[in-house]
Amino acid sequence: MPRELFTSPAHWTWLIVVYFFVGGIAGGSFFIAAMLDLVGNRADRSLSRLGYLVALPGIAIGGPLLILDLGRKERFWHMLVQSETFRPMFKWWSPISFGTWIVSAFGAFAFVAFLAALVRSGDRPQRGPLVPFHKIVYGLGPLSKLFLILGALTGLALAGYTGMLLSVTNRPVWANMNLFGINLLGLLFLASAVSAAAATLYLLGRRRGAGVEHESLHALTRFDDWVLGLELLVLIAAIVSLASFFGSVSAAWLAGWGALLIIGVLVLGILVPLVLYARPRMLGGNSGVLAAILVLVGSFLLRTVVVMSSETIESLERVAHGG
Amino acid sequence: MAEPMGFFTDTTVCIGCKACEIACKQWNQLPATNGGQNTISGVSYDNTRQLDGIHWRHVRFIEQFDTRDPNRTDGRWLLMSDVCKHCVQAGCLEVCPTGAIVRTEFDTVVIQSDVCNGCRACISACPFGVIGINPVSHTAQKCTLCYDRLKVGMEPACSKACPTDSIQFGTISQLRDRAQKRVGDLHQQGQTEAYLYGADDKIVGGLNSFFLLMDKPEVYGLPKDPQLPSRNLAPSGIGSGIGAVLVGLLGLLNFRKRRMDRFAAQGHRES
Amino acid sequence: MGDKMSKKRTRCPLLVALLAVGLIGCSPEAQRTRGGGPGADPGNVDSVVEIHRGADPGYKVPLTGAGRDDNIRSDASREDVSR
C-alpha cells in the first residue's frame, strides 16, 4: 500500500479551494498585466490596468480566507513573527512558511499597482495622492521595469506555490503526482491559474465601457489558448503519474473524482475552450465569453478535485473495504 | 542536553487493557470523544479508532480471524499501543510554519499549544497520521512524551501505568539493547517473525518510539517506508520553475508578436 | 529590444536558483541524526514550553440526571450544554 494512505487528512477544504482559485487569479492577473506593460504596446495599458485592478481585490479576498481557515485566527501573525522570540519566522523549505511571505510581498506589489491603475490610462496626473504610485509603476524607467518584473515573478510564485504546498506533504494524490522526478502539482496549478486569470481579464475587458483594444483581447485569447494547451499536457501527465496509485484505492472514489476531473476539467474546462478560442465564430459572437467562463469553471473544479479527492479518501476507503 | 529518550513498545506482551490510554488522558486532562458519549466502531473491539488531538495513546486491536470459520480456531490478536514516534527526522516539525513544533533536550518532538495557530500543515505532513486538532485549544496536539514529567525526572504516564511493561521508557541506547535481547529471545523460542520497527536509523532517521512487531508494518497501520514531506520540495520546485519559464515565454511571444504584426500592418495606434 | 534583454537577464538568476534548490533539495531536518541538534526547529521557545492548552476533561460532557446542577461544568462546555 502507498505510504500516503497511512496519514490523516488536514481538513483543508472549501476555504482553501476558494483561496487557491482566487489567489491564482490574482497572481496570474498581475503577471499578465506586467507582461503587457513590459513587452506589449502602449495601447495595451487599458488591459494591463484591468489586471492590476483584479490583483489587489483577489489577494484581499484570498488572504483573509487563509486566516479564516486557521484554528486560532488571532494567531495568524505567528507565521510572520516568532511569537516567543519576535524574530522573523521563515523556513525556506516549508511551502506554507515561504508562501506566507509570497502572499505578503504580492500584497504590497498589488497594492501599489492597484493605486497606479486607478489613474485612467493615458492620463498623466500632475498632482494628487496617486501620483507617486503611478510613478513607481510607469515613471521611473528601469526601476519601474524592475518593479514589474519582480511583481510578475511574485505573481507566478503565488500561483504556483499552492501546488507545492500540497505536494510537500505525505497525503495521497498530492504527494504522489511525480513523473520523471518532477512533481507536477505546482506546474499544473500555475498553468491553470494563469489561464483563469487570462479568462477573467478577457471577460472584464470585453465589456464596452472598459475601452480595451480589440487587438489586446485577441492577443489575450491567443495567449490563453497556448497556456490551456500547456495545462492540457500537464494534466494528462498528472493523470499518468497517479496511475500506479490507482490500484490501492476504491473504485467508487476513482470513478467519482475521475469523472469530475475528465469531464469537468479536461473536456469542459480545457478542450472546449481551447477549440472555442481558436474558432471564435463557432457559436456566434459569444464563443469567447463561453470559453472564458468554462476556463474559470474548469480551474475551480481542478482545485476542487485535487484538494477534496485527497481529503475524502479515507472515508470512502473505509466504505469500500467494509472496514 | 540530556541523552535521547523514548519508548520501546513490545507488542508481544500487550494485553490491550488500555491503561496507557487512560493514564495519558488523565495526566494530560484530555477531553473525551464526543463528551464521553462515544459510539461503537462496529468493526473492532477497539472503539478509540485512531490517534488524534485528544488521543495521544491508542491501543490498536488487530483481530486476525477468518470470518468464514465459525469456530475461529485459527485466529490471533495482535495488540499494539500506538503513539507519536518522535521521529529523529520529524515531518511535522519540518513544515510547521509558526515554529510551534520544537525539539526538546530529550530529542523528543513537542507542539507548543500557545504558539500553534491551527494551520494543520503538520497533520498532512506526519507520515504516521498521529496529529489531530484538539477541539478545546483548536490547535494541533499529540503525545509530548510527557515533557512536563520528564522535566522533573518522572517517567511518562503511559509507561508508568503499563501493567505488563509492554511500554518501556528510557534512554534510546538502553531501550535498544533491551529490545534487541528481546528479539533474540523470541527468535530462540521459535517466534522468528519478531523484528524491530524504527530502532535503527533506517526509517526517517530513526524513531524515538520504536516497536517490536510480529507481522508486516502495514498490518499495524504503519507505513513500510515513511518519508519526510520535503522529499517533494525540489521535484515540485523544479516543476513550478519550468511552468514559470514556459508561461513567461508564452507571454513574451504572444504579447510581443502582436506588436510585430501590427508594425507590419502599419501600426497607427503606436503612440 | 531593451525590455526583451532585461527579461532574459532576469531569467538567468531564476534558473540558477532553481538549480541550487535542486542540488540542495532538502531541509535541515533531512540530514539530522539521533541527538543531532535542533534540525528544522527555528528555536521559537520561551522559558516555559506550554503544552496543556487543550486540557479540559469536562469538554462537551452532557449533564443529565439527578444532581446535575451540582456537577462541575467546564467553561468550554457550558455554551454547548445550554443549547
Side-chain angles (χ1 to χ4, degrees), chain A residues 47 197-207 217-218 220-221 277 285 287-289 292:
Chain A
L47 180 59
T200 308
L201 296 186
Y202 176 78
L203 288 176
L204 292 174
R206 210 175 162 278
R207 293 169 309 126
L217 284 179
H218 181 66
L220 191 63
T221 54
Y277 273 146
S287 298
V289 176

Side-chain angles (χ1 to χ4, degrees), chain B residues 1 4 88 103 107, chain C residues 28 31-40:
Chain B
M1 180 148 164
V88 170
R103 188 162 264 121
D107 213 40
Chain C
Q31 293 105 18
R32 202 182 166 269
T33 52
R34 250 192 189 115

